[in-house]
Amino acid sequence: MPPPPDLPEPAHPNIDSMLTRKFGREVANYFAGSPLNRVSFLRTDQGFLSAAFKHPTTSFLLLNNLAPLAHNPSKLSFVSLKDVSPLIGEDPYNKLEEELIQSYDSKVTIPQLIFLGLDETEKSGFEWTIYKGAPLFALDVTPKGSTEDAAKRLIEEKESKDLKFLEGRTHMSLPAHEAAIYAPARALVDWNGRNPFCAQCGQPTLSINAGWKRTCPPTDMSSVNAAIGGTTDSKPTERPPCATRKGVHNVCFPRTDPTVIMAVLSADCTKILLGRGKRFPPLWYSTLAGFVEPAESVEEAVRREVWEESGITLGRVVIHSTQPWPYPANLMIGAIAQAVPGGEEILLKHDPELEDAKWVGFDEVREALDIGTSGLGEGPGERYKEGGLRLPPKTAIAHQLLQAVVGGLVGGETKI
């Protein structure tokens, strides 16, 4: 089993600040630390998008059924405009968004294209006013609709060069900077694919804003375009009224689902609560986690989830760090919490989600973090001692929470 990749560096790690002195060094988790400047305010600028799309330094990450194109599990493969133009055209941004909406044809398949941002490490790349960097796009090449044949040809051409689309639920062996590029690519392609219809009126929607929004067009040109083939219709079909075309709710935005994940300390700060899901490998445990519900604070969600799953009553809750999790669109909010005296009895009968939960001493957790970590679908490493505790790898925020606790958080002046 190859070693897990290094974690990304936090922003400005060498700059001294009052906040760093008070709270400690920032923790950057896997899937964060992107090298891209998203320049989100330029997603409506078709001139910018057109120029970025056609620039020689521009590259594209292809996804087939959400699987990214790669050389191997540790290295993504990026392609050029020449590779993708037979599928997407020479310039999909040659019209204003208003024109795209007016010319919407529900019978035409438009491959999903996402502008991810500018790689600012490439100083000699594309320039737009004061912004510099190599543009990067994600493109969904899943064969479908009227572009099925072109997508299949592109896939076959890339696979013939010993490239492959990485199957599997998670991709935790990529270098940190590539993982941070893949994460929004997967999340946005997946979100667009899950929302082909308007949640308000049920009509098909159109991707706009470089793949970061969807809108419900008022008309459909499919009848007019069919008329060219011999039918009598010559006017676009008026679609039913839709509330999303009025007021500020005229588009659908990508969703991010907040999830809490917490390392729970005993009241005397000598043990850590760990839980085992019913589908976990033998002896594999992790921290508890759950979704934040509407009108609930992060701290309340931590206390509720821990009580529902384990019966433990919590007092103080402190947020530690966060991790984007593009499966499909979660933000893991990592916390460290402490049980109240008299509230440490484990009771699994509230919510039968866990197979087991137990209090584990710091020394056992330290040893497992050192020699007993692995992903859910992987075996333990060579140094693992048979029968010992197993924990998530360092690319998981659960690992970072446990490391923070046993690495010096408890006691003295040590910081998170």
Side-chain angles (χ1 to χ4, degrees), residues 1 26 63 105 117 157 178-179 194 225 238 254 281 284 321 335 353 373 385 392 403 406:
M1 182 177 66
E26 181 179 325
L63 292 95
D105 184 340
E157 190 266 331
E178 290 193 356
R194 288 172 183 260
N225 294 334
E238 293 287 335
W284 204 94
S321 63
E353 182 174 334
T373 63
K385 298 177 182 178
Q403 188 66 59
V406 303

Side-chain angles (χ1 to χ4, degrees), residues 4 7 12 43 47 79 85 128 148 188 216 221 297 310 346 402:
L7 297 180
H12 312 296
R43 292 173 189 156
V79 304
S85 58
W128 186 264
E148 180 176 358
L188 267 295
C216 184
M221 292 290 290
S297 72
S310 70
I346 293 174
L402 294 172

Side-chain angles (χ1 to χ4, degrees), residues 40-235:
S40 60
F41 45 87
L42 292 176
R43 292 173 189 156
T44 58
D45 188 332
Q46 297 297 97
F48 163 77
L49 294 172
S50 178
F53 180 83
K54 294 181 290 186
H55 197 266
T57 63
T58 298
S59 56
F60 299 80
L61 177 61
L62 308 184
L63 292 95
N64 180 18
N65 286 315
L66 301 179
L69 184 67
H71 295 277
N72 55 60
S74 299
K75 183 176 177 58
L76 294 175
S77 177
F78 298 91
V79 304
S80 68
L81 174 58
K82 180 181 177 181
D83 296 301
V84 302
S85 58
L87 175 63
I88 194 67
E90 294 296 335
D91 185 6
Y93 300 111
N94 61 357
K95 293 182 179 179
L96 297 176
E97 281 194 350
E98 292 79 4
E99 296 174 316
L100 290 173
I101 294 171
Q102 290 172 2
S103 62
Y104 171 70
D105 184 340
S106 61
K107 295 294 195 300
V108 176
T109 302
I110 303 175
Q112 187 60 59
L113 185 64
I114 312 289
F115 173 66
L116 298 176
L118 300 175
D119 184 352
E120 295 183 321
T121 64
E122 183 58 69
K123 298 298 183 183
S124 61
F126 172 71
E127 293 187 21
W128 186 264
T129 63
I130 63 173
Y131 312 106
K132 300 179 181 180
L136 190 59
F137 291 80
L139 178 62
D140 183 12
V141 298
T142 307
K144 63 181 73 172
S146 57
T147 60
E148 180 176 358
D149 291 341
K152 286 181 177 179
R153 285 192 295 271
L154 177 55
I155 291 170
E156 291 169 0
E157 190 266 331
K158 291 304 167 187
E159 290 181 335
S160 70
K161 297 181 178 179
D162 292 329
L163 301 174
K164 58 183 178 180
F165 290 91
L166 297 179
E167 303 290 345
R169 183 178 178 273
T170 59
H171 302 289
M172 308 286 280
S173 58
L174 295 170
H177 70 283
E178 290 193 356
I181 291 172
Y182 164 67
R186 187 196 191 281
L188 267 295
V189 168
D190 186 47
W191 171 75
N192 277 280
R194 288 172 183 260
N195 293 272
F197 301 103
C198 177
Q200 180 69 33
C201 69
Q203 295 291 315
T205 54
L206 173 68
S207 176
I208 59 173
N209 280 203
W212 290 80
K213 296 180 184 178
R214 298 192 70 87
T215 189
C216 184
T219 59
D220 188 343
M221 292 290 290
S222 60
S223 59
V224 174
N225 294 334
I228 298 174
T231 64
T232 57
D233 291 331
S234 60
K235 294 182 179 181

Side-chain angles (χ1 to χ4, degrees), residues 298-300 302-303 314-319 335-338:
V298 169
E299 292 83 356
E300 288 173 319
V302 169
R303 296 187 184 98
L314 298 183
R316 185 75 166 94
V317 175
V318 177
I319 296 175
I336 297 173
Q338 187 174 2

